[in-house]
Amino acid sequence: MTAPNDNRRRSSTLGRLLQGVLFCALLAACAGPATRPDLLLQWPAAPAAPQVAFVSTISDYKEAGISTGFWRRVADIVVGVSDQRIGRPYGVYHDERGRLFIVDMAFGQVHVMDVAAGSYTTIGHTGEAPLFKSPIGVTGDDSGNVYITDSAAGMVYRYNLRDAVLTPFIQTLQRPTGIAFSRRKRLLYVADTLADRVAVFDLNGNPRFTVGSTGAQPGYLNHPTDIFVDAAGLLYVTDPLNYRVQVYSGEGQFLHGFGAPGDGEGEFLKPKGIAADRAGNVYVVDALTDSVKVFDASGRFRFAFGSNGEAAGSFWQPSGLYIDGEDRIYVADTYNRRVQVFRRLHPADALGKEK
């Protein structure tokens, strides 16, 4: 039988613990965001004119600029926020409404950070076992749908943002990885890595045609992974085991390629994420050199940014990459468990000032 004094002591201890939690949460609420010196990071180095500038890092929804209420912060302290932090990011997508989607391979989910609405949600995780086996890529169409590749399940899922409904969409692929939507063609392009091709579907999930086949010749592919479709409808594909990038028309006609094995300028050790900005410059993540290499539209090397490390502007085996309509560059810094945001500088930009 428990003595009354024991019960009173336990109640008192629990009360003091709760008071401490509330006090810490109140301090956090009043303190606001942590201050840090303004890091002016731009590339390439002087005396060359800077082309890219560092903006921020995102490790969780709070670093994306999403604030939370007092009681949500209390719950975060009591319960913990490990499932809300980014574990191992790969695919990144930023839509026209300002929503940031980050595929998290570690937690088997997609983080959805909507800064304008001040909301944070996830796709594919209900609090029990995650639905996805090995999610990799993410993109969205112009009808309020998001598409997520699950390489281990051989599946592409479609998520309706309005109804918050996730359904299997394409189930005919061997190992889907990179994915991109063409607004010009209204087609969905999916890298089928084990099949050495890019499969193309309409928005009803019907196959239309394929791009590439097994080989090392120009236009052929060897385990393609990441893809991007630009505003003009051109398809960019990283061809990692051929150490190159290949570019096709929206109809799948091979146009040109660039790259060679190595760690020098214009060479790749492990090309992954790829995207193009509004000026036609092509950005390619090279995971094993912990850098992003930048080329002009013809494939001529321009400059690179990043190096191995944990500081802002440094990477640890980065993977996915996306460039939005405002030329903001999102890089999945995979083993640093974060996404880093950069922006392309325009000639009219003053040094260190936002355009």
Side-chain angles (χ1 to χ4, degrees), residues 107-108 124-132:
F107 296 137
H125 204 296
T126 61
E128 300 176 354
L131 172 65
F132 303 125

Side-chain angles (χ1 to χ4, degrees), residues 196-283:
D196 296 323
R197 64 180 186 174
V198 175
V200 185
F201 302 84
D202 64 25
L203 294 183
N204 292 317
N206 300 314
R208 295 290 298 275
F209 57 91
T210 61
V211 180
S213 58
T214 306
Q217 307 95 315
Y220 288 71
L221 298 168
N222 190 352
H223 283 51
T225 52
D226 295 83
I227 62 178
F228 183 79
V229 175
D230 69 11
L234 296 182
L235 170 66
Y236 301 82
V237 183
T238 53
D239 189 11
L241 296 188
N242 284 326
Y243 305 96
R244 66 189 181 190
V245 167
Q246 306 223 61
V247 186
Y248 304 83
S249 71
E251 295 78 21
Q253 178 184 2
F254 174 71
L255 300 177
H256 67 94
F258 56 89
D263 60 359
E265 294 186 354
E267 299 176 337
F268 300 114
L269 290 178
K270 194 170 186 179
K272 285 193 171 184
I274 186 168
D277 65 24
R278 290 181 293 177
N281 300 302
V282 182
Y283 299 66

Side-chain angles (χ1 to χ4, degrees), residues 107-188:
F107 296 137
Q109 63 185 2
V110 178
H111 302 270
V112 184
M113 302 177 186
D114 189 338
V115 177
S119 69
Y120 165 77
T121 57
T122 60
I123 303 172
H125 204 296
T126 61
E128 300 176 354
L131 172 65
F132 303 125
K133 294 181 178 179
S134 182
I136 298 291
V138 60
T139 193
D141 64 20
D142 52 7
S143 300
N145 298 302
V146 172
Y147 302 86
I148 303 151
T149 61
D150 188 335
S151 61
M155 181 88 68
V156 177
Y157 288 90
R158 180 163 66 185
Y159 182 79
N160 184 284
L161 288 163
R162 181 189 59 200
D163 301 328
V165 174
L166 182 70
T167 55
F169 183 63
I170 299 170
Q171 307 179 55
T172 58
L173 303 172
Q174 294 185 43
R175 195 171 188 86
T177 51
I179 188 167
F181 172 67
S182 173
R183 293 179 179 271
R184 180 177 291 264
K185 299 291 183 182
R186 295 192 57 76
L187 294 173
L188 198 64

Side-chain angles (χ1 to χ4, degrees), residues 2-26:
T2 305
N5 288 337
D6 290 341
N7 286 332
R8 285 194 292 270
R9 281 195 295 269
R10 289 172 185 171
S11 298
S12 176
T13 301
L14 182 59
R16 287 195 298 272
L17 177 61
L18 182 57
Q19 289 175 356
V21 167
L22 293 175
F23 179 70
C24 292
L26 183 60

